[in-house]
Amino acid sequence: MRQRKDVPGVDAKSLIKEAGRLLPDPARRQFLRGAASLGTLTLLTGCEIIDGDSAENTLRYVSRFNDRVQAALFNRSKLAPTYTEADITRPFPFNAYYDLDEAPVVDPATYKLGIAGLVQDKTPWTLERLYALPQLSQITRHVCVEGWSAIGSWQGALMSDFLQRIGADTRARYIHFICAEGYTETLDMPTLLHPQTQLTFKFDNEILPRAYGFPIKIRMPTKLGFKQPKYVVAMEVTNQDKGGYWSNQGYNWYSGL
Ligand SMILES: Nc1nc2c(c(=O)[nH]1)N[C@H]1C(S)=C(S)[C@@H](COP(=O)(O)O)O[C@H]1N2
Ligand SMILES: [Mo]
């Protein structure tokens, strides 16, 4: 995706409509059906939204409220649907904020996954060592906020196993991921500990091609596509939300499915 999301102007009507769209269900339906006003928004979100507050601030309050509701509803043991080989979308789409020929080229010989923050063992991981980890396979649906979805097959290490191996403090709130071309994403710990969250090395049983994030993609069938960093070069276990490429531009941070 290329376009920055439009933040509507100070026009109260369009602001309320936009804020309503950001609300999680069922609050959204209730809000849009009923008397949608800044007053009701304040009641619903518990944030003090005052007339004259900038549109951007108001939307930020509502989006944060949405994050809290989604995080509270997230069930760590509820599994996303899985599919069969025959369901795999071929060719699987490539997506990034640039064209494929501009995608990062990572040298496997010198690559190391950097580990930082609240972790006991910060030794960087070579690909040889990563590939020796026990691996799992999943065929799940990838959903992009731009309005397409596709079923793919991914293989890699279970993220919760990897975190245990490096002695990550899983009481920390987040992990911040950094990608080769500068894309970043912060993910919440409960999602990272979900049994389908994968440190992914392969697509369709072949080493991840450049298009799909060589050498590492974080794959989570419980989140929208833009929350799933490709070309990951470093991760930091932290209690600070360090944002992400698209959520910094107004997309909902949590973006659960
Ligand atoms: N490093 C990086 N990761 C990224 C992106 C990106 O531009 N750079 N785009 C995201 C978006 S919006 C989507 S939909 C998926 C696309 O993954 P795919 O190319 O494997 O389909 O990657 C996500 N991860
Ligand atoms: Mo996406």
Side-chain angles (χ1 to χ4, degrees), residues 1 92-98 100 104 142-146 148 150 154 178-185 203 208-213 216-218 224-232 245-246:
M1 68 180 133
F92 191 85
F94 159 83
N95 197 27
Y97 61 94
Y98 41 75
L100 179 52
H142 171 108
V143 181
C144 175
V145 74
E146 289 174 279
W148 56 271
W154 291 275
I178 299 172
C179 309
E181 84 284 46
Y183 194 89
T184 68
E185 197 47 82
F203 183 88
L208 268 184
R210 179 175 167 213
Y212 308 145
I216 289 180
K217 169 179 184 149
I218 310 301
L224 281 175
F226 78 83
K227 292 296 290 183
Q228 328 219 355
K230 306 190 285 185
Y231 320 103
V232 172
Y245 186 87
W246 288 111

Side-chain angles (χ1 to χ4, degrees), residues 4 16 57 83 92 110 155 174 178 200 203 208 236 242 251 257:
R4 212 197 118 122
I16 286 164
N57 267 345
Y83 300 87
F92 191 85
T110 54
Q155 292 71 38
Y174 310 109
I178 299 172
T200 298
F203 183 88
L208 268 184
E236 180 190 0
K242 301 201 168 173
Y251 282 87
L257 285 175

Side-chain angles (χ1 to χ4, degrees), residues 92-131:
F92 191 85
F94 159 83
N95 197 27
Y97 61 94
Y98 41 75
D99 290 331
L100 179 52
D101 58 6
E102 293 161 63
V105 180
V106 175
D107 178 3
T110 54
Y111 175 86
K112 281 190 178 115
L113 172 64
I115 311 278
L118 306 167
V119 175
Q120 275 161 18
D121 184 355
K122 295 191 177 110
T123 315
W125 283 64
T126 60
L127 277 180
E128 195 186 4
R129 225 175 132 219
L130 286 166
Y131 290 162

